[in-house]
């Protein structure tokens, strides 16, 4: 009850404090008076004197008490003790006076939890271990206690030992002892804390909690339902705090953020976690460029030093450019193999399937060139790529191979004379041993198929030893100008929101909203990193009239479900926009206890959070 009592008392203190802060200069003075953050004290409030990762030569001669898990024990002579911060070598005493300590430590199973008290000593000359931060010292045990013995393990707690994903999930509490997962979780914590500093301390954002139990939101993914005590009535778990943060802007809060828990029932998509966390942000009186500058600054400020610097501003690409060049709205720009449009070149040919494709309104012929494909691909690989395009996109693929003499090998060549073949080589920038995959048909279908084959081909090339995507480089990219609406898959005659129903139309396309909504671009923007979507947001509709039109006339939704929001927009809602940065949507590598895990499927393109890429597991 102490915390609720404290919260009841706070309003008595906060009004005079708020008045003081409102006086010119007071806020800055208080900010300057704040002490510099001290290095964390890992040994406060606990019985140990030091962690297993901090002892150095400067500690020689000191008596220390360590707590941890036995990582390794050798012939009753020494053991390696591990905790969250590192490893320390413990020398087991061999003299008669400490025989009970020797018996206890020598017989303790690996991964037992122990307390050891002893004297820090330098390692004998030549026995130092430069690979360990504590490799210059050892602790000579004087007393010890087994706090908890460990039974036989299902797998060794070592990062280099391979374990099946299923076994890791079954014994997640053991997997969490690994240095890599410990690093990942602490990295996540540090990044989130830096983000809080940037948003709250430097730019005046307010951290506001929003409800978890709410009502249904139209559009988007399916929602989880929570039964209420009233028969036949349910709560919905929010897919995001979208409506709440817009209401906060109507309320004049101006700048909101939250480390928000979100829930989406996407059982048909094994790459998605049903519950995830995002950095949720909303601002009043902002445009798309302002949101982008904010996020670029936020990432620069919170980016881990060991990962190097990131350069801003991030490059930008329209949705149509991304689809045309990379076949996806989240392109990996670390490597080439871009899609090339050869429609104009082949339009002059007499190839029947090409002419058939080009006769359609958005008909096209496109290709990707795979460098050194002959050298790295087997026939079965090419067949697998073609089968993938056929099964996933209903798209036929034709291959073209550049022979050592510079001539082309393909069913296509019998329709092209030497001059045309030379022009084709030049158009595709083909070299000896390159393989080209060509597709003809409807624009989006062709681009999507080739975009998928581009990624599958990169996987095959890298599996054969050719490095295309440097894991140590970080290519950020803004993708903008998405369509505002898309045809529904189950009924193409009806429209659904490409982002969500609260996204504002592009200012240049506002008139089209009422005449031809299929042609309207949105003020929706995604942040992409190395081919993974790590954030997305939009400028919102702040006009109740326009929002009602979108819901009722375009999306054919019951606006009564959102009557509270529509009414709020009528009370002087400011222009506003926001974004959410994904922390844990898909990967179990940055989540302590993931609800799902999935195996990587070649060619599948999953939304992966920012921290998955930062934390290699």
């Amino acid at each position: 009850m102490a915390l609720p009592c404290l919260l009841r008392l706070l309003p008595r203190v906060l009004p005079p404090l708020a008045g003081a802060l409102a006086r010119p200069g007071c806020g800055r003075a208080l900010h300057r008076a704040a002490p510099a953050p001290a290095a964390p004290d890992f040994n406060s409030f606990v019985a140990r004197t030091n962690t297993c990762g901090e002892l150095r030569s400067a500690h020689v001669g000191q008596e220390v008490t360590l707590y941890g898990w036995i990582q390794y024990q050798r012939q009753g002579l020494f053991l390696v003790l591990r905790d969250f911060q590192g490893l320390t070598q413990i020398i087991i005493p061999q003299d008669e006076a400490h025989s009970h300590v020797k018996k206890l430590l020598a017989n303790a199973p690996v991964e037992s939890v122990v307390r050891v008290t002893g004297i820090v000593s330098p390692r004998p000359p030549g026995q130092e271990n430069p690979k360990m931060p504590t490799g210059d010292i050892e602790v000579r045990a004087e007393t010890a206690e087994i706090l908890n013995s460990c039974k036989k393990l299902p797998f060794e707690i070592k990062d280099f030992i391979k374990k099946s994903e299923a076994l890791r999930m079954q014994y997640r509490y053991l997997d969490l002892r690994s240095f890599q997962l410990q690093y990942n979780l602490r990295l996540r914590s540090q990044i989130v804390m830096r983000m809080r500093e940037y948003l709250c301390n430097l730019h005046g954002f307010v951290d506001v909690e929003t409800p978890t139990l709410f009502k249904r939101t139209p559009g988007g993914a399916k929602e989880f339902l929570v039964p209420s005590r009233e028969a036949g009535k349910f709560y919905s778990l929010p897919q995001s705090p979208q409506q709440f943060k817009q209401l906060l802007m109507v309320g004049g809060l101006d700048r909101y953020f939250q480390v928000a828990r979100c829930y989406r029932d996407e059982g048909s998509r094994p790459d998605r976690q049903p519950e995830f966390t995002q950095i949720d942000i909303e601002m009043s009186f902002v445009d798309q460029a302002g949101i982008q500058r904010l996020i670029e600054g936020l990432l620069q400020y919170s980016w881990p030093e060991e990962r190097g610097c990131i350069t801003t501003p991030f490059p930008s690409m329209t949705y149509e450019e991304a689809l045309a060049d990379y076949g996806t709205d989240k392109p990996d720009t670390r490597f080439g193999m871009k899609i090339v449009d050869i429609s104009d070149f082949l339009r002059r040919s007499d190839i029947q399937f090409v002419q058939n494709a080009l006769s359609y309104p958005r008909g096209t012929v496109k290709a990707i060139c795979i460098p050194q494909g002959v050298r790295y691909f087997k026939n079965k690989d090419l067949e697998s790529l073609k089968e993938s395009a056929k099964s996933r996109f209903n798209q036929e693929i034709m291959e073209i191979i550049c022979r050592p003499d510079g001539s082309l090998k393909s069913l296509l060549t019998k329709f092209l004379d030497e001059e045309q073949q030379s022009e084709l080589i030049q158009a595709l920038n083909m070299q000896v041993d390159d393989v080209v995959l060509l597709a003809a048909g409807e624009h989006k279908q062709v681009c999507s198929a080739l975009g998928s084959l581009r990624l599958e081909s990169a996987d095959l090339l890298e599996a054969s030893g050719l490095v295309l995507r440097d894991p140590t480089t970080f290519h950020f990219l803004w993708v903008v100008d998405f369509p505002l609406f898309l045809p529904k898959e189950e009924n193409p005659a009806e429209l659904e929101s490409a982002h969500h129903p609260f996204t504002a139309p592009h200012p240049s396309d506002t008139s089209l909203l009422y005449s031809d909504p299929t042609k309207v671009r949105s003020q929706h923007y995604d942040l992409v990193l190395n081919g993974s979507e790590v954030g997305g947001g939009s400028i919102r509709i702040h006009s109740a009239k326009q929002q009602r039109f979108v819901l009722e006339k375009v999306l054919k939704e019951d606006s009564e479900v959102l009557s509270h929001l529509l009414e709020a927009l009528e009370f002087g809602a400011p222009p506003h926009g926001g974004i959410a940065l994904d922390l844990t949507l898909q990967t179990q590598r940055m989540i302590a206890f993931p609800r799902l895990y999935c195996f990587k499927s070649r060619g599948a393109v999953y939304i992966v959070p920012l921290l998955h890429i930062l934390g290699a597991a």
Side-chain angles (χ1 to χ4, degrees), residues 441-459:
E442 190 274 329
H443 173 75
K444 187 173 182 180
Q445 176 179 307
V446 165
C447 290
S448 298
L450 290 176
S452 177
L453 294 184
R454 174 177 178 266
L455 295 175
E456 289 188 56
S457 298
D459 289 340

Side-chain angles (χ1 to χ4, degrees), residues 211-340:
T212 297
L213 298 176
F214 193 46
K215 61 195 296 184
R216 174 184 170 269
T217 301
K222 292 181 181 178
E223 295 171 326
F224 289 106
L225 300 179
V226 179
S228 70
R229 292 184 180 275
E230 192 173 345
K233 294 194 175 181
F234 298 82
Y235 295 105
S236 285
L237 298 181
Q239 299 179 41
S240 76
Q242 182 61 46
Q243 295 179 56
F244 295 114
K245 62 183 180 180
Q246 290 192 246
L247 293 173
L248 288 171
M249 296 303 103
V250 178
L253 197 70
D254 193 71
R255 296 184 171 205
Y256 143 93
F257 98 97
Q258 180 183 184
V259 181
R261 294 293 288 167
C262 305
Y263 309 87
R264 293 178 188 170
D265 184 2
E266 298 189 283
S268 62
R269 301 185 64 174
D271 56 305
R272 300 293 186 97
Q273 292 290 335
E275 54 184 293
F276 57 95
T277 308
Q278 64 187 30
I279 299 292
D280 201 53
I281 292 171
E282 198 79 7
M283 297 173 69
S284 293
F285 311 110
V286 71
D287 59 11
Q288 179 171 306
I291 294 287
Q292 290 174 340
R293 288 197 303 271
L294 167 73
I295 296 306
E296 288 167 359
L298 173 67
L299 290 175
Q300 271 193 322
Y301 186 86
S302 58
W303 196 256
E305 290 183 7
E306 63 268 26
R307 299 296 184 182
C309 297
I310 55 176
T311 303
T312 60
F314 300 153
S316 182
M317 182 182 299
T318 68
Y319 167 82
E320 287 296 338
E321 289 171 338
L323 185 65
D325 291 346
Y326 297 95
T328 176
D329 59 5
K330 40 184 175 290
D332 189 341
T333 56
R334 288 175 296 174
F335 70 108
M337 290 170 56
K338 290 167 68 172
I339 298 171
V340 180

Side-chain angles (χ1 to χ4, degrees), residues 13-59:
V13 180
L14 290 178
L17 177 59
L21 289 174
R23 293 196 296 271
C26 282
R28 291 191 295 274
L30 285 173
H31 182 69
R32 285 197 299 271
D41 181 3
F42 293 117
N43 302 307
S44 54
F45 317 118
V46 294
R48 64 173 178 250
T49 61
N50 302 86
T51 67
C52 294
E54 69 177 293
L55 296 177
R56 302 293 187 270
S57 297
H59 295 92

Side-chain angles (χ1 to χ4, degrees), residues 598-613:
C598 62
F599 297 100
K600 182 178 180 183
S601 177
R602 194 183 76 191
V605 183
Y606 293 149
I607 292 182
V608 185
L610 169 67
L611 291 169
H612 165 51
I613 298 175

